[in-house]
Every structure is written in structure tokens, then in C-alpha cells.
Amino acid sequence: MYLGKPPRASFAQLRSFEAVARYGGITRAAQALHLTQPTVSTQLRELRESLGIELLVPAGRGVQLTDAGRALLVTVTRMFETWRGFEEDMADMQGLLSGSLRIAGVTTTEYFLAQWLKPFLQAYPGIQVDLVIDNRDAVIRRLEREQDDIAIMMMPPGHLPLDSLLVMDNPLCLIGPAQHPWASRKSTPLGKLASVDLLMREVGSGTRQATLEFLAEHQLTPRIRMTLGSNEAIKHAVAAGLGLAVVSRHALAKDASSEGLAVLAVSGMPIQRHWRAVWRKDRRLPRVATVFMQFLTNQLGK
Ligand code: PGA
């Protein structure tokens, strides 16, 4: 039982503060909350006065958090999580599984996440899904900020307290244009890769990192001809004959030739990796996320 003094801040003030911190300015926060700018400013002022410490300072056209502001943001984020948990518990109690599921997936997951989600959404019509797709570095930043319930990725970072569930294989294949001479060969020695133009994903991509690690393990220095920001851009450039690339098998059509591509057989490839669902073990995993993962295990275990 809570026996301390009641908090010196109201829920509405904290909601405004959280939105201003998230959007970096009062105008956008007010828009997101459907409040007027003066209302948000007043709530922030009242919050500052009752806590007796500066939480935000002007920075450029927006605002920046002070140390106290950052500490408050951590607290508020936890409070809102707790509140969300309470609302979900209420929903669970009523036998209605409702709420939202927040997922972040690295770029290749866009090729299969819809299939994973479809039966889950059909089974739980009350649930709304917020899905963000970005590269590995961006997904890691989201995990650091606790912005999602679950992230789907290949290489979870080592510096965060995470739990994970291995979901399925993720072979990383070498691709070339459909007419490439290696396409008709049973196997090409890996060393040949050092003398071809390679197209790579941008810095921050897990596919890029896994490829570079693999090449380094085999003492190969790649000749990176071009850097591209998406799997689709890579595939089009490879099909156009600009070079070879490594992509997840899941980024390709079943029949790669239908996209003007061929999966090239090179010794030691594909690079064997896996897809994992990961989540922060230092915070409560919402029930909806647990249910989604049970669903995933059943669906993919079949
Ligand atoms: P990415 O994803 O290349 O889109 O960053 C790979 C991963 O990290 O799983």
C-alpha cells in the first residue's frame, strides 16, 4: 500500500511534459495531444513550480531536457507503462484482449511480418498494432528508449538487458543478376568475392554488419562500389548489373529470377543467421506481447 504523500503533479501535466519531451517542442506536443499551446505551456509551468526545479530549457526553435527533466522523463515513462499495464489487466479481466502491440522490425522483416501478424490480428480483433520498420541501429535506439514491446531482429545488441526468442532461420545469400556467369555454376570459391564490385546496405544496417564480419572472418576485403539504403534499392541495382550483394533470403521472391536476380552458390554461403524476437527483460512485458509470441511459436512451429 502506498503511504507517502500524494504526488505534486497531475496526470495531465505529466502527459504534456512527456509529449513535449518526445516531440522536442510545445507546438507539436500540443497538436499531438489536441490541446492548445497555452494549455500545454501552463501545465508545464505549474509542473515546474510545484516541483521547484527547471525541467526544460529553450534550444533553437524547441526545448531540451535538463538533468531533472531527463530523470522525470524516465519516471513518467515508467508510470505510463504501469498505467498501460493496469488498463490491459482490466481488459484481460473483462475477458477482452484489447490494447496495442508495439513492434519494431529491422528492414527485412517487412517482407514477412504481415504474414506473422495476419492470423494474430484475426484471432484478436480488439488489438491494434503499431509497427515501425527501420535498420538495426535505429531499432537498437528504440530498444534503448523502451519504445516498443518487441523488436524483431537478427543481431540483438549486447549492451541492453534483453530476453529473446529464436523464431526462424535467416540465411544471408549472395545475389547477382539472373544472367550472371556464377548463376549456372554449382559453386564458386569464396575468395572470388574479393575481386567483384559489392553493393552494401548503409552503415547501421545489420545485414551490412553481418556481411562485413563474415568477410573479415575469411580475411577478405570487400570492394564496396555503392552503398544503398534499402533492400529493394539493392535488389534493383544488382538486377541492373551494378554489382553483387548479400541480402536475407527473406528479402527475395521464392523464384528470385522473377525479380531479375539469381542466388549465387559460393562456398561457405549463405551466412547462417536467425531471426529473434527480443524484449527488455527489465520491464513488464505486456500481456498482448506474450500472447503474440505464443501465437508466433505455434504458427512457426507447425
Ligand atoms: P538491417 O537488418 O540490415 O535492416 O539493419 C538486419 C538485422 O539487424 O537483423
Side-chain angles (χ1 to χ4, degrees):
M1 191 187 294
Y2 178 72
L3 295 173
K5 288 184 191 160
R8 282 177 290 163
S10 74
F11 210 88
Q13 289 166 352
L14 295 178
R15 212 159 67 105
S16 287
F17 168 77
E18 195 274 339
V20 171
R22 176 151 27 132
Y23 293 106
I26 292 175
T27 316
R28 288 189 56 204
Q31 276 166 359
L33 294 174
H34 305 290
L35 293 175
T36 65
Q37 226 169 299
T39 307
V40 173
S41 300
T42 306
Q43 285 173 344
L44 288 180
R45 183 172 43 76
E46 287 170 355
L47 184 61
R48 187 191 65 221
E49 284 170 4
S50 62
L51 295 177
I53 193 160
E54 218 53 75
L55 301 167
L56 299 156
V57 285
R61 297 177 63 194
V63 290
Q64 216 177 347
L65 294 175
T66 61
D67 284 349
R70 270 191 289 278
L72 179 61
L73 182 61
V74 171
T75 308
V76 168
T77 307
R78 294 212 177 114
M79 279 173 64
F80 287 2
E81 284 304 323
T82 309
W83 182 259
R84 195 164 79 103
F86 163 74
E87 285 184 341
E88 285 184 356
D89 287 348
M90 290 298 103
D92 288 348
M93 274 181 207
Q94 289 161 356
L96 288 167
L97 196 62
S98 67
S100 60
L101 174 64
R102 299 171 306 171
I103 312 184
V106 292
T107 49
T108 306
T109 64
E110 70 186 350
Y111 294 96
F112 54 79
L113 265 180
Q115 281 149 30
W116 286 7
L117 284 165
K118 188 177 174 191
F120 171 72
L121 288 174
Q122 279 169 343
Y124 299 97
I127 290 169
Q128 189 211 318
V129 173
D130 290 328
L131 172 62
V132 170
I133 302 280
D134 214 322
N135 71 16
R136 177 173 185 267
D137 273 11
V139 169
I140 292 174
R141 279 197 297 279
R142 295 183 64 85
L143 279 168
E144 285 166 351
R145 295 183 196 140
E146 306 183 6
Q147 286 174 296
D148 308 290
D149 301 319
I150 306 179
I152 312 288
M153 63 198 311
M154 163 169 70
M155 297 187 294
H159 68 288
L160 292 174
L162 300 175
D163 268 333
S164 74
L165 173 74
L166 196 146
V167 193
M168 70 175 183
D169 289 347
N170 179 21
L172 303 178
C173 310
L174 182 71
I175 55 166
Q179 307 310 325
H180 194 274
W182 296 0
S184 52
R185 292 196 199 155
K186 268 222 173 80
S187 181
T188 300
L190 185 62
K192 295 267 182 208
L193 268 188
S195 53
V196 298
D197 285 342
L198 280 184
L199 311 182
M200 281 279 173
R201 285 278 306 285
E202 76 286 358
V203 174
S205 147
T207 311
R208 176 189 178 106
Q209 190 178 322
T211 306
L212 292 177
E213 280 172 11
F214 172 80
L215 293 174
E217 273 164 31
H218 293 87
Q219 283 85 43
L220 292 173
T221 312
R223 216 164 73 192
I224 302 176
R225 193 68 202 281
M226 205 170 161
T227 298
L228 298 100
S230 74
N231 285 312
E232 285 302 305
I234 291 259
K235 283 162 59 181
H236 286 292
V238 170
L242 302 188
L244 308 185
V246 175
V247 294
S248 165
R249 184 67 186 88
H250 297 117
L252 302 169
K254 259 206 181 89
D255 173 13
S257 67
S258 66
E259 300 181 293
L261 298 168
V263 175
L264 306 176
V266 168
S267 54
M269 294 192 84
I271 307 168
Q272 294 298 352
R273 297 282 181 153
H274 297 93
W275 291 117
R276 289 187 159 79
V278 304
W279 62 96
R280 297 278 303 229
K281 63 176 167 202
D282 54 344
R283 46 171 290 234
R284 173 187 180 275
L285 188 64
R287 170 119 179 87
V288 61
T290 321
V291 172
F292 173 65
M293 281 194 290
Q294 281 163 356
F295 214 81
L296 211 55
T297 316
N298 295 341
Q299 192 188 340
L300 297 170
K302 268 181 205 159

